[in-house]
Amino acid sequence: MDVAVYLFTGFLEAGKTTLISETLQDEKFNSGEKTLILACEEGVEEYDPASFPGDVSYESIDTLSQLNPDKLAALQRKHAAERIMIEYNGMWMNDDLYRAMPENWYIYQEIMLADAGEGGDPIVELGIQKRLHIEPQLVHGFKAVIELHRADFHDLAHQLMAQDLAVQ
């Protein structure tokens, strides 16, 4: 059985946990499917799987060494998950996740969040500028949710990976 993966990427404290939580509380999205949240970073917000309708489980992936096909497949089996939501660590390369995904998992949707905030944090602004190729004067106060659907993903993933390599 193929398993849809909803991948949430972006900067620390950009709102990934909040967006995942609000999405799972929305009956239009969550009609009881067995869902596994894989959190690859800890922010200020925390998950409360009991607050979500349906069958939602939570597991933490704390290190890149835990990110491998056997471990991920075992977690899916443990929770009998029909879909996976991954809150990915913004400091890890996406390619590490793509290589670690079991063969029957596919990226159904990727949502990248960025928030330069009101304070204009120069490190975050520089990251947004490089990641999204935005002119520096347009970054201050920038907030974005970039959504990639499955149909867009394959072509765009190769372009983004090439851009990531060029930025580094």
Side-chain angles (χ1 to χ4, degrees), residues 66-134:
Q66 294 177 310
L67 201 61
N68 63 70
D70 293 335
K71 168 84 172 182
L72 296 178
L75 291 173
Q76 181 198 349
R77 282 191 305 276
K78 174 182 174 183
H79 297 285
E82 300 170 290
R83 65 181 174 190
I84 312 289
M85 299 182 88
I86 299 176
E87 179 178 347
Y88 200 60
N89 187 319
M91 300 303 291
W92 295 354
M93 298 297 294
N94 285 10
D95 195 44
D96 292 325
L97 173 63
Y98 304 146
R99 289 185 187 136
M101 286 177 30
E103 287 185 22
N104 65 322
W105 290 21
Y106 65 95
I107 302 291
Y108 181 79
Q109 187 175 50
E110 178 176 357
I111 299 174
M112 185 267 192
L113 291 100
D115 182 356
E118 296 301 319
D121 183 329
I123 300 295
V124 173
E125 289 185 2
L126 180 61
I128 292 171
Q129 177 190 341
K130 286 186 172 192
R131 181 82 174 187
L132 303 179
H133 305 286
I134 297 174

Side-chain angles (χ1 to χ4, degrees), residues 142-163:
F142 178 83
K143 296 178 189 286
V145 175
I146 297 172
E147 184 177 342
L148 303 176
H149 292 277
R150 184 178 183 195
D152 305 327
F153 183 74
H154 294 290
D155 293 335
L156 195 51
H158 292 292
Q159 293 173 12
L160 290 175
M161 286 169 37
Q163 290 174 0

